[in-house]
Amino acid sequence: MAWKGLIGRSGQKKGGVQDMLAKQRYIKMERVLNGSGMDTVVLELDLLLDGETIIAEGRSFPLKDVYDISYRIVGGQLGILYLHTSSGVYPFNVEEDPAAFILAFKRTASRR
């Protein structure tokens, strides 16, 4: 497995950055076929929290459908942040402590 390195790419919010309450960087690995085999591309993406939604790459989660967020450390610097939603549990690989993101979610959810 070859590593192609990090490619910076951020989630986009339709309403503008000023509405964002919290941001959490996560890592997504994609396997890509090239002429000599498979490569793994590592993407750095953002989970964005506003007053109504958590936005991830290609998907948004209305806060009314998010029951909880949990976090588990799985090794050295890597952990998994879990979004518990009405349509299932969604894992996100994180390298930075998501405590501030989780706290912002809980504060926002408690106002609903």
Side-chain angles (χ1 to χ4, degrees), residues 47-67:
L47 275 178
L48 303 175
L49 169 67
D50 67 21
E52 303 286 324
T53 312
I54 294 176
I55 301 165
E57 176 74 13
R59 180 157 193 135
S60 64
F61 303 90
L63 291 185
K64 66 180 181 59
D65 296 336
V66 179
Y67 301 136

PDB file of all heavy atoms in Angstrom, residues 47-67:
ATOM      1  N   LEU A  47     -15.603  18.415  10.036  1.00  0.00           N
ATOM      2  CA  LEU A  47     -16.987  18.341  10.494  1.00  0.00           C
ATOM      3  C   LEU A  47     -17.330  19.745  10.959  1.00  0.00           C
ATOM      4  O   LEU A  47     -16.568  20.342  11.736  1.00  0.00           O
ATOM      5  CB  LEU A  47     -17.126  17.412  11.690  1.00  0.00           C
ATOM      6  CG  LEU A  47     -17.299  15.931  11.473  1.00  0.00           C
ATOM      7  CD1 LEU A  47     -17.362  15.217  12.820  1.00  0.00           C
ATOM      8  CD2 LEU A  47     -18.522  15.629  10.672  1.00  0.00           C
ATOM      9  N   LEU A  48     -18.434  20.284  10.501  1.00  0.00           N
ATOM     10  CA  LEU A  48     -18.844  21.629  10.883  1.00  0.00           C
ATOM     11  C   LEU A  48     -20.159  21.557  11.649  1.00  0.00           C
ATOM     12  O   LEU A  48     -21.072  20.837  11.257  1.00  0.00           O
ATOM     13  CB  LEU A  48     -19.022  22.506   9.642  1.00  0.00           C
ATOM     14  CG  LEU A  48     -17.804  22.625   8.719  1.00  0.00           C
ATOM     15  CD1 LEU A  48     -18.160  23.418   7.471  1.00  0.00           C
ATOM     16  CD2 LEU A  48     -16.645  23.260   9.447  1.00  0.00           C
ATOM     17  N   LEU A  49     -20.240  22.313  12.725  1.00  0.00           N
ATOM     18  CA  LEU A  49     -21.454  22.378  13.534  1.00  0.00           C
ATOM     19  C   LEU A  49     -22.004  23.792  13.474  1.00  0.00           C
ATOM     20  O   LEU A  49     -21.286  24.755  13.753  1.00  0.00           O
ATOM     21  CB  LEU A  49     -21.130  22.014  14.989  1.00  0.00           C
ATOM     22  CG  LEU A  49     -22.228  22.274  16.031  1.00  0.00           C
ATOM     23  CD1 LEU A  49     -23.424  21.361  15.803  1.00  0.00           C
ATOM     24  CD2 LEU A  49     -21.664  22.106  17.433  1.00  0.00           C
ATOM     25  N   ASP A  50     -23.273  23.910  13.068  1.00  0.00           N
ATOM     26  CA  ASP A  50     -23.949  25.196  13.187  1.00  0.00           C
ATOM     27  C   ASP A  50     -25.163  24.976  14.093  1.00  0.00           C
ATOM     28  O   ASP A  50     -25.297  23.922  14.700  1.00  0.00           O
ATOM     29  CB  ASP A  50     -24.308  25.794  11.813  1.00  0.00           C
ATOM     30  CG  ASP A  50     -25.358  25.000  11.043  1.00  0.00           C
ATOM     31  OD1 ASP A  50     -26.112  24.221  11.650  1.00  0.00           O
ATOM     32  OD2 ASP A  50     -25.427  25.173   9.820  1.00  0.00           O
ATOM     33  N   GLY A  51     -26.033  25.899  14.204  1.00  0.00           N
ATOM     34  CA  GLY A  51     -27.167  25.783  15.116  1.00  0.00           C
ATOM     35  C   GLY A  51     -28.219  24.770  14.714  1.00  0.00           C
ATOM     36  O   GLY A  51     -29.074  24.412  15.512  1.00  0.00           O
ATOM     37  N   GLU A  52     -28.140  24.263  13.484  1.00  0.00           N
ATOM     38  CA  GLU A  52     -29.160  23.347  12.969  1.00  0.00           C
ATOM     39  C   GLU A  52     -28.625  22.010  12.480  1.00  0.00           C
ATOM     40  O   GLU A  52     -29.363  21.041  12.413  1.00  0.00           O
ATOM     41  CB  GLU A  52     -29.886  24.004  11.778  1.00  0.00           C
ATOM     42  CG  GLU A  52     -30.523  25.341  12.089  1.00  0.00           C
ATOM     43  CD  GLU A  52     -31.767  25.184  12.924  1.00  0.00           C
ATOM     44  OE1 GLU A  52     -32.496  24.203  12.709  1.00  0.00           O
ATOM     45  OE2 GLU A  52     -32.000  26.038  13.797  1.00  0.00           O
ATOM     46  N   THR A  53     -27.321  21.949  12.126  1.00  0.00           N
ATOM     47  CA  THR A  53     -26.805  20.821  11.361  1.00  0.00           C
ATOM     48  C   THR A  53     -25.347  20.531  11.696  1.00  0.00           C
ATOM     49  O   THR A  53     -24.587  21.430  12.024  1.00  0.00           O
ATOM     50  CB  THR A  53     -26.873  21.147   9.846  1.00  0.00           C
ATOM     51  OG1 THR A  53     -28.160  21.646   9.536  1.00  0.00           O
ATOM     52  CG2 THR A  53     -26.596  19.940   8.989  1.00  0.00           C
ATOM     53  N   ILE A  54     -24.957  19.257  11.560  1.00  0.00           N
ATOM     54  CA  ILE A  54     -23.552  18.870  11.496  1.00  0.00           C
ATOM     55  C   ILE A  54     -23.291  18.498  10.043  1.00  0.00           C
ATOM     56  O   ILE A  54     -24.020  17.696   9.461  1.00  0.00           O
ATOM     57  CB  ILE A  54     -23.220  17.698  12.424  1.00  0.00           C
ATOM     58  CG1 ILE A  54     -23.397  18.132  13.884  1.00  0.00           C
ATOM     59  CG2 ILE A  54     -21.796  17.195  12.174  1.00  0.00           C
ATOM     60  CD1 ILE A  54     -23.194  17.027  14.890  1.00  0.00           C
ATOM     61  N   ILE A  55     -22.284  19.111   9.453  1.00  0.00           N
ATOM     62  CA  ILE A  55     -21.992  18.912   8.039  1.00  0.00           C
ATOM     63  C   ILE A  55     -20.667  18.186   7.902  1.00  0.00           C
ATOM     64  O   ILE A  55     -19.662  18.598   8.485  1.00  0.00           O
ATOM     65  CB  ILE A  55     -21.928  20.263   7.295  1.00  0.00           C
ATOM     66  CG1 ILE A  55     -23.264  20.988   7.450  1.00  0.00           C
ATOM     67  CG2 ILE A  55     -21.569  20.054   5.823  1.00  0.00           C
ATOM     68  CD1 ILE A  55     -23.225  22.440   7.077  1.00  0.00           C
ATOM     69  N   ALA A  56     -20.685  17.100   7.143  1.00  0.00           N
ATOM     70  CA  ALA A  56     -19.475  16.346   6.815  1.00  0.00           C
ATOM     71  C   ALA A  56     -19.362  16.311   5.301  1.00  0.00           C
ATOM     72  O   ALA A  56     -20.285  16.712   4.588  1.00  0.00           O
ATOM     73  CB  ALA A  56     -19.559  14.927   7.377  1.00  0.00           C
ATOM     74  N   GLU A  57     -18.241  15.840   4.813  1.00  0.00           N
ATOM     75  CA  GLU A  57     -18.022  15.719   3.378  1.00  0.00           C
ATOM     76  C   GLU A  57     -19.171  14.921   2.735  1.00  0.00           C
ATOM     77  O   GLU A  57     -19.363  13.751   3.046  1.00  0.00           O
ATOM     78  CB  GLU A  57     -16.694  15.008   3.131  1.00  0.00           C
ATOM     79  CG  GLU A  57     -16.381  14.722   1.697  1.00  0.00           C
ATOM     80  CD  GLU A  57     -15.974  15.960   0.914  1.00  0.00           C
ATOM     81  OE1 GLU A  57     -15.705  17.011   1.533  1.00  0.00           O
ATOM     82  OE2 GLU A  57     -15.930  15.877  -0.310  1.00  0.00           O
ATOM     83  N   GLY A  58     -19.949  15.575   1.890  1.00  0.00           N
ATOM     84  CA  GLY A  58     -20.999  14.889   1.147  1.00  0.00           C
ATOM     85  C   GLY A  58     -22.235  14.512   1.946  1.00  0.00           C
ATOM     86  O   GLY A  58     -23.097  13.802   1.445  1.00  0.00           O
ATOM     87  N   ARG A  59     -22.356  14.946   3.192  1.00  0.00           N
ATOM     88  CA  ARG A  59     -23.508  14.548   4.001  1.00  0.00           C
ATOM     89  C   ARG A  59     -23.770  15.589   5.086  1.00  0.00           C
ATOM     90  O   ARG A  59     -22.846  16.167   5.637  1.00  0.00           O
ATOM     91  CB  ARG A  59     -23.208  13.197   4.645  1.00  0.00           C
ATOM     92  CG  ARG A  59     -24.340  12.708   5.484  1.00  0.00           C
ATOM     93  CD  ARG A  59     -24.309  11.230   5.644  1.00  0.00           C
ATOM     94  NE  ARG A  59     -25.592  10.881   6.196  1.00  0.00           N
ATOM     95  CZ  ARG A  59     -26.320   9.884   5.787  1.00  0.00           C
ATOM     96  NH1 ARG A  59     -25.889   9.126   4.840  1.00  0.00           N
ATOM     97  NH2 ARG A  59     -27.470   9.628   6.336  1.00  0.00           N
ATOM     98  N   SER A  60     -25.034  15.792   5.390  1.00  0.00           N
ATOM     99  CA  SER A  60     -25.365  16.664   6.517  1.00  0.00           C
ATOM    100  C   SER A  60     -26.311  15.918   7.452  1.00  0.00           C
ATOM    101  O   SER A  60     -27.102  15.073   7.031  1.00  0.00           O
ATOM    102  CB  SER A  60     -25.983  17.977   6.037  1.00  0.00           C
ATOM    103  OG  SER A  60     -27.203  17.742   5.403  1.00  0.00           O
ATOM    104  N   PHE A  61     -26.200  16.228   8.728  1.00  0.00           N
ATOM    105  CA  PHE A  61     -26.987  15.582   9.775  1.00  0.00           C
ATOM    106  C   PHE A  61     -27.750  16.656  10.531  1.00  0.00           C
ATOM    107  O   PHE A  61     -27.137  17.410  11.310  1.00  0.00           O
ATOM    108  CB  PHE A  61     -26.067  14.837  10.748  1.00  0.00           C
ATOM    109  CG  PHE A  61     -25.175  13.806  10.111  1.00  0.00           C
ATOM    110  CD1 PHE A  61     -23.910  14.156   9.660  1.00  0.00           C
ATOM    111  CD2 PHE A  61     -25.601  12.498   9.960  1.00  0.00           C
ATOM    112  CE1 PHE A  61     -23.077  13.214   9.079  1.00  0.00           C
ATOM    113  CE2 PHE A  61     -24.775  11.547   9.377  1.00  0.00           C
ATOM    114  CZ  PHE A  61     -23.517  11.908   8.932  1.00  0.00           C
ATOM    115  N   PRO A  62     -29.064  16.781  10.322  1.00  0.00           N
ATOM    116  CA  PRO A  62     -29.839  17.743  11.116  1.00  0.00           C
ATOM    117  C   PRO A  62     -29.695  17.407  12.604  1.00  0.00           C
ATOM    118  O   PRO A  62     -29.738  16.234  12.989  1.00  0.00           O
ATOM    119  CB  PRO A  62     -31.280  17.528  10.641  1.00  0.00           C
ATOM    120  CG  PRO A  62     -31.151  16.868   9.301  1.00  0.00           C
ATOM    121  CD  PRO A  62     -29.898  16.046   9.368  1.00  0.00           C
ATOM    122  N   LEU A  63     -29.511  18.416  13.445  1.00  0.00           N
ATOM    123  CA  LEU A  63     -29.298  18.171  14.877  1.00  0.00           C
ATOM    124  C   LEU A  63     -30.467  17.428  15.510  1.00  0.00           C
ATOM    125  O   LEU A  63     -30.265  16.672  16.461  1.00  0.00           O
ATOM    126  CB  LEU A  63     -29.024  19.475  15.613  1.00  0.00           C
ATOM    127  CG  LEU A  63     -27.689  20.146  15.298  1.00  0.00           C
ATOM    128  CD1 LEU A  63     -27.492  21.365  16.183  1.00  0.00           C
ATOM    129  CD2 LEU A  63     -26.528  19.192  15.419  1.00  0.00           C
ATOM    130  N   LYS A  64     -31.665  17.616  14.981  1.00  0.00           N
ATOM    131  CA  LYS A  64     -32.815  16.899  15.538  1.00  0.00           C
ATOM    132  C   LYS A  64     -32.681  15.388  15.357  1.00  0.00           C
ATOM    133  O   LYS A  64     -33.314  14.612  16.063  1.00  0.00           O
ATOM    134  CB  LYS A  64     -34.120  17.400  14.920  1.00  0.00           C
ATOM    135  CG  LYS A  64     -34.273  17.107  13.444  1.00  0.00           C
ATOM    136  CD  LYS A  64     -35.596  17.637  12.911  1.00  0.00           C
ATOM    137  CE  LYS A  64     -35.774  17.336  11.452  1.00  0.00           C
ATOM    138  NZ  LYS A  64     -35.752  15.942  11.087  1.00  0.00           N
ATOM    139  N   ASP A  65     -31.822  14.953  14.420  1.00  0.00           N
ATOM    140  CA  ASP A  65     -31.605  13.531  14.167  1.00  0.00           C
ATOM    141  C   ASP A  65     -30.343  12.985  14.824  1.00  0.00           C
ATOM    142  O   ASP A  65     -30.048  11.794  14.710  1.00  0.00           O
ATOM    143  CB  ASP A  65     -31.524  13.265  12.661  1.00  0.00           C
ATOM    144  CG  ASP A  65     -32.822  13.589  11.939  1.00  0.00           C
ATOM    145  OD1 ASP A  65     -33.889  13.570  12.589  1.00  0.00           O
ATOM    146  OD2 ASP A  65     -32.770  13.870  10.730  1.00  0.00           O
ATOM    147  N   VAL A  66     -29.567  13.855  15.483  1.00  0.00           N
ATOM    148  CA  VAL A  66     -28.336  13.424  16.156  1.00  0.00           C
ATOM    149  C   VAL A  66     -28.641  13.252  17.636  1.00  0.00           C
ATOM    150  O   VAL A  66     -28.975  14.211  18.334  1.00  0.00           O
ATOM    151  CB  VAL A  66     -27.187  14.445  15.954  1.00  0.00           C
ATOM    152  CG1 VAL A  66     -25.933  13.981  16.686  1.00  0.00           C
ATOM    153  CG2 VAL A  66     -26.894  14.646  14.470  1.00  0.00           C
ATOM    154  N   TYR A  67     -28.535  12.002  18.115  1.00  0.00           N
ATOM    155  CA  TYR A  67     -28.843  11.713  19.512  1.00  0.00           C
ATOM    156  C   TYR A  67     -27.673  12.016  20.439  1.00  0.00           C
ATOM    157  O   TYR A  67     -27.854  12.479  21.555  1.00  0.00           O
ATOM    158  CB  TYR A  67     -29.234  10.252  19.689  1.00  0.00           C
ATOM    159  CG  TYR A  67     -30.420   9.833  18.868  1.00  0.00           C
ATOM    160  CD1 TYR A  67     -30.420   8.634  18.178  1.00  0.00           C
ATOM    161  CD2 TYR A  67     -31.557  10.636  18.771  1.00  0.00           C
ATOM    162  CE1 TYR A  67     -31.508   8.233  17.423  1.00  0.00           C
ATOM    163  CE2 TYR A  67     -32.649  10.252  18.019  1.00  0.00           C
ATOM    164  CZ  TYR A  67     -32.621   9.045  17.346  1.00  0.00           C
ATOM    165  OH  TYR A  67     -33.700   8.660  16.600  1.00  0.00           O
TER     166      TYR A  67
END
